[in-house]
Amino acid sequence: MAKMKLVKKRRFKYRILFYLFLVFIGYQISYNIIMNFKLVKSNEDFVKALISDSNYHLLYEKKASNLFSQMFSRVLNINKPLSILEASLPFTQKEEAMTYVSNPNFSEVNDLKADPTVYIYNSHQSEEYQGEALENYNIKPGVMMASYILQDKLAENDVKALVMEDNLVDYMNLNNMSYNKSYQAARNLITETIQNTPTLKLIIDLHRDALSKDKSTTIINNKSCAKIIFVIGKENSNYQSNLDMTNKINDKIKAKYPELTRGVIGKEGSGNNGIYNQDLSPKMTLLEIGGQENTIDEVLNTIELIAPIIGEYINEN
């Protein structure tokens, strides 16, 4: 009898250990699933979700805590939404950011039956900005994100803009094209849109420059802003018309924020592109916002300043 009781006791202990083991495995699997869960699957999807209500707040806050706090924070929405655009800018006034109200006509502007007047694309989609606050979200802020933000801000100024959604990097990889063929690849993707959208008044190839932070940044209204510069290819057939148009926009920006713009420069000769696909339309310009050391917050601050000015130009022409 004693032996049977001992055997039963051991079996009971083994069962308890086995069940605890199953619980532990289930915990680990569930934890990993939740911790690796992403609201969006790509940078493009993230940007669309980010600006869908124009408040630039994440829909959830990812914390390195235990499984149960993860579940409660998501299901019950206990945690206060975190603005990633506030987080990386030291002196952002968070109270103002939290009370930011999107343009009540935003959805109407984006759904306007009117044809688009601005087209934004990126010949160098892989150009990135600084964004430590985004690392936990596996998001790399870059010129594509800036394009969608510009689209949003133009909409607030009653200007409908298109953004090229094609993945240029994938396109180049599929066609065995090297990085120095980026402009040719972009040309292949934008030509049809330009030809089929006669209402376009402005076509922007949005880039970022390669400059040190002190040269690519300025302070306006107590906010850190990324400086801009326009580039026009002097070897394209539409050079003069593109230059005249760009000068008008730059002059408007300079009149309001002289320290924001680095001007308009022309490129030609050996070692330079000289065309930048600007032969496709007399309404094209290349706009560089900030440099590799600027944050997406600084780019946002700049876009908030220039979008109304671009809108003013569009509505005058």
Side-chain angles (χ1 to χ4, degrees), residues 6 9 16 38 97 103 141 262 278 289 293 302-303 305:
L6 183 61
K9 192 173 182 180
I16 294 297
K38 293 183 177 63
N103 180 358
R262 295 164 50 217
Q278 292 168 2
I289 303 180
E293 295 181 7
T302 295
I303 291 175
L305 296 178

Side-chain angles (χ1 to χ4, degrees), residues 211-223:
L211 291 173
S212 59
K213 186 73 178 280
D214 61 313
K215 294 181 180 178
S216 65
T217 314
T218 188
I219 303 296
I220 300 177
N221 299 330
N222 295 322
K223 290 185 177 181

Side-chain angles (χ1 to χ4, degrees), residues 41-314:
K41 301 296 183 182
S42 65
N43 290 348
E44 295 91 333
D45 290 341
F46 174 82
V47 174
K48 291 175 185 176
L50 187 67
I51 66 175
S52 62
D53 60 358
S54 300
N55 63 7
Y56 299 101
H57 284 77
L58 277 178
L59 303 182
Y60 68 97
E61 180 178 2
K62 188 173 183 180
K63 281 193 173 183
S65 55
N66 60 54
L67 173 66
F68 299 104
S69 68
Q70 289 285 331
M71 293 175 64
F72 276 102
S73 66
R74 285 172 173 77
V75 177
L76 301 180
N77 195 26
I78 290 174
N79 290 322
K80 191 176 182 180
L82 169 68
S83 169
I84 58 171
L85 295 176
E86 296 168 13
S88 61
L89 192 60
F91 52 82
T92 299
Q93 297 181 7
K94 300 198 174 187
E95 290 183 4
E96 292 181 4
M98 290 303 294
T99 57
Y100 173 82
V101 178
S102 66
N103 180 358
N105 297 320
F106 174 73
S107 59
E108 292 180 18
V109 171
N110 275 327
D111 295 332
L112 283 176
K113 293 181 180 179
D115 293 318
T117 53
V118 176
Y119 182 42
I120 310 165
Y121 71 98
N122 313 103
S123 290
H124 293 155
Q125 282 184 350
S126 59
E127 290 179 335
E128 298 176 359
Y129 296 108
Q130 291 295 313
E132 293 180 1
L134 299 174
E135 289 180 357
N136 291 335
Y137 301 92
N138 197 27
I139 298 295
K140 296 179 179 178
V143 293
M144 286 191 69
M145 184 179 288
S147 294
Y148 284 107
I149 294 173
L150 178 57
Q151 180 190 42
D152 179 29
K153 293 302 177 182
L154 286 173
E156 292 180 6
N157 289 274
D158 298 323
V159 173
K160 186 174 182 179
L162 295 175
V163 173
M164 185 183 80
E165 297 183 354
D166 302 89
N167 191 313
L168 192 63
V169 176
D170 285 350
Y171 176 85
M172 293 175 67
N173 289 336
L174 288 171
N175 291 277
N176 296 315
M177 302 176 76
S178 58
Y179 185 77
N180 62 4
K181 298 293 183 182
S182 296
Y183 285 100
Q184 180 58 53
R187 187 184 187 91
N188 296 344
L189 295 173
I190 66 174
T191 299
E192 184 177 354
T193 299
I194 293 174
Q195 291 177 345
N196 294 337
T197 318
T199 54
L200 293 177
K201 297 181 179 181
L202 176 62
I203 303 165
I204 301 173
D205 185 5
L206 199 155
H207 291 248
R208 67 120 174 97
D209 210 339
L211 291 173
S212 59
K213 186 73 178 280
D214 61 313
K215 294 181 180 178
S216 65
T217 314
T218 188
I219 303 296
I220 300 177
N221 299 330
N222 295 322
K223 290 185 177 181
S224 183
C225 301
K227 289 185 177 182
I228 66 169
I229 189 170
F230 293 94
V231 181
I232 302 296
K234 300 180 72 172
E235 298 174 11
N236 80 85
S237 55
N238 294 311
Y239 166 67
Q240 194 59 51
S241 55
N242 285 327
L243 177 65
D244 292 342
M245 177 198 69
T246 302
N247 278 332
K248 288 180 181 179
I249 297 173
N250 183 67
D251 288 345
K252 284 179 174 292
I253 295 172
K254 190 174 181 179
K256 271 199 165 186
Y257 311 108
E259 65 273 41
L260 185 63
T261 177
R262 295 164 50 217
V264 180
I265 61 171
K267 291 286 187 74
E268 65 178 336
S270 178
N272 293 304
N273 186 290
I275 299 177
Y276 300 108
N277 290 322
Q278 292 168 2
D279 58 318
L280 291 175
S281 171
K283 302 169 184 177
M284 295 186 73
T285 191
L286 190 155
L287 170 62
E288 296 185 349
I289 303 180
Q292 75 279 7
E293 295 181 7
N294 285 111
T295 67
I296 194 66
D297 302 80
E298 292 166 334
V299 173
L300 169 63
N301 291 338
T302 295
I303 291 175
E304 287 182 329
L305 296 178
I306 67 174
I309 298 173
I310 294 175
E312 182 181 302
Y313 167 82
I314 295 297

